[in-house]
Amino acid sequence: MTTLLQIRSSLLAGDSQSNRLADRFVAQWQAAHPGGRVVVRDLAQQPLPHLGLAHVAAFSTAADQRTPEQQALVAASDALIAELQGADVVALGLPLYNFGIPSTLKAYFDQIARAGVTFRYTASGPEGLIQGKQVYVFAARGGLYQGQPHDTQTPFVRNFLGFLGMTDVHFVHAEGLAMGEAPRREALARAEAQIDALLEPATA
Ligand SMILES: Cc1cc2nc3c(=O)[nH]c(=O)nc-3n(C[C@H](O)[C@H](O)[C@H](O)COP(=O)(O)O)c2cc1C
């Protein structure tokens, strides 16, 4: 069964623009895949722990040497990775908070970046092990950043996903959302139009 994993990271729940844009995409995906399954991971509603020494030690200890506490830490990370590996499509809601990604999303990234599990180093460099996914990112920002050096968020997210093997990544940006009612309306309408075109069959 084809599966979409929706990852939410906004603090604002129902008022979130990144959630709203991702929801629009997910509704269209569901209409196009009536038998498809949608799995929602809400990192704001169910935050993950920050990565600590205990996690790093657990991840780097051989499976048969782990204490019960370490086994539990690894099992939690494994479950997140299995959820991601089980998805064909990922819809990621991406707010800009204080020039970066939400800390809850960073905690998620830290849980799924596992040497030997989601990436490995080879003689020719690193190799991502989460392959064959289509990733759609719905980025919402108060100001204007896209294409400028101070947009450090977009390249960070693209690089991180690519490092894990997710190279088919499409961004939709809604920017200027704090710059007045008219610019906000226009930015959201532009983002919605981009979303509406995402799943349209390509025309020759
Ligand atoms: C805690 C916080 C920090 C923010 N920091 C920034 C920022 O650094 N730059 C910016 O352009 N907008 C910033 N904003 C505005 C958000 O990017 C904007 O509200 C966007 O819609 C957030 O996505 P969301 O609605 O899905 O939560 C911030 C908003 C909050 C609540």
Side-chain angles (χ1 to χ4, degrees):
M1 183 191 296
T2 183
T3 300
L4 181 150
L5 173 62
Q6 180 175 5
I7 302 173
R8 296 166 173 259
S9 61
S10 173
L11 304 168
L12 304 178
D15 292 328
S16 156
Q17 296 306 329
S18 64
N19 283 351
R20 220 177 50 74
L21 294 171
D23 287 349
R24 184 182 183 97
F25 172 78
V26 171
Q28 292 178 9
W29 184 89
Q30 281 181 298
H33 301 85
R37 190 168 68 107
V38 174
V39 176
V40 178
R41 173 152 299 277
D42 193 323
L43 301 170
Q45 301 289 319
Q46 292 171 304
L48 298 165
H50 282 158
L51 196 72
L53 179 58
H55 291 97
V56 177
F59 296 160
S60 57
T61 300
D64 59 353
Q65 307 277 308
R66 289 178 186 138
T67 64
E69 291 75 20
Q70 289 180 325
Q71 286 170 16
L73 292 176
V74 174
S77 164
D78 283 349
L80 294 169
I81 292 167
E83 181 179 77
L84 180 58
Q85 286 285 24
D88 306 286
V89 177
V90 177
L92 170 63
L94 183 67
L96 184 70
Y97 293 151
N98 300 320
F99 298 96
I101 66 172
S103 56
T104 52
L105 182 60
K106 181 62 166 64
Y108 175 78
F109 282 177
D110 288 340
Q111 291 285 337
I112 63 168
R114 294 259 309 277
V117 180
T118 55
F119 68 90
R120 68 178 165 218
Y121 286 102
T122 69
S124 52
E127 180 187 14
L129 301 176
I130 302 190
Q131 295 182 357
K133 315 290 175 207
Q134 286 177 307
V135 183
Y136 296 90
V137 182
F138 303 95
R141 286 107 179 260
L144 300 175
Y145 297 80
Q146 212 188 330
Q148 301 180 58
H150 63 295
D151 182 6
T152 54
Q153 188 195 50
T154 303
F156 167 70
V157 171
R158 195 181 281 286
N159 286 337
F160 177 81
L161 297 174
F163 184 73
L164 297 192
M166 291 172 278
T167 50
D168 183 358
V169 181
H170 190 102
F171 278 81
V172 172
H173 290 92
E175 294 200 315
L177 301 183
M179 295 176 65
E181 196 40 45
R184 174 188 175 85
R185 243 198 334 268
E186 284 160 23
L188 290 172
R190 264 196 310 275
E192 288 169 4
Q194 284 177 41
I195 290 168
D196 294 352
L198 283 175
L199 296 176
E200 277 174 4
T203 47

